[in-house]
Amino acid sequence: MLFDLRSRGRRRTVQVIYIGLAVLIGAGLILFGVGTGSGGGGLFGAFTGSNSHGGGNNSAVTSQVKSALAQTKKNPNSAAAWSNLVNARFEAANAVGFNNTSDTYTKAGKQQLQLLTQAYSHYTSLTKTPSSSTATIAAKAYTQLSDWSRSSAIYQSLLQNSPGSILYLRCVALTAYAAKNDRVGGLAQARLLAKLPKSARKQYKTLLQEAKTSTSVVTESC
């Protein structure tokens, strides 16, 4: 099928479609990397960042994590300190645990993502209003860990604060379908398709339906 992203050639086809859609509906569709701190920003590069695996960069990331951890120990009740740790863990996951060839996280990368979600859980216990950038990182981490329910819950929360966001609508629908929550997925899909130009609806509908049977679509898109 067209959106079976396990095929590298088909991933390129989907990328071309997404670029076309971005031209149609504006910059809102290309904000995958906003707030990630990864320096990515492309439609399919939200998780890869620069992904330079040089020893110097890895050392810098390790230092960043150590520094962030030290701040949480020094200020355990500081939401900002825990938010910084979430960002540092995300940088570490991308720097030392992302396989560019397979477009997947390695065991080391997923370990960092697990630690990220733990930091995020503590962060949310300290603030009633999580920052959208920190929440988005956590949602992406849960997606990569195949924890669809938690990922969907975060995207739904983000959508409440930005009800017109194409990105959040799409990711609510995709993660909800992956979590077998067709009711939420269907509601988000209906809202999303209503916002898109007619020329883009068919491709998006196909993509969303793929999420019901192929979770690789979700990890590629959110």
Side-chain angles (χ1 to χ4, degrees), residues 103-180:
D103 288 341
T104 58
Y105 281 94
T106 64
K107 182 178 180 180
K110 289 186 176 181
Q111 182 179 34
Q112 287 298 321
L113 294 178
Q114 287 281 10
L115 292 169
L116 182 162
T117 61
Q118 293 173 22
Y120 181 74
S121 178
H122 191 78
Y123 165 70
T124 56
S125 73
L126 298 173
T127 178
K128 294 181 179 179
T129 55
S131 77
S132 59
S133 60
T134 303
T136 299
I137 289 174
K140 291 177 177 180
Y142 278 124
T143 296
Q144 294 301 310
L145 294 170
S146 301
D147 193 336
W148 314 117
S149 294
R150 285 191 174 90
S151 179
S152 183
I154 295 176
Y155 278 122
Q156 288 177 60
S157 178
L158 288 164
L159 184 61
Q160 288 181 354
N161 296 324
S162 302
S165 170
I166 297 293
L167 169 61
Y168 295 152
L169 277 170
R170 184 183 63 251
C171 287
V172 167
L174 288 170
T175 54
Y177 281 143
K180 306 303 180 184

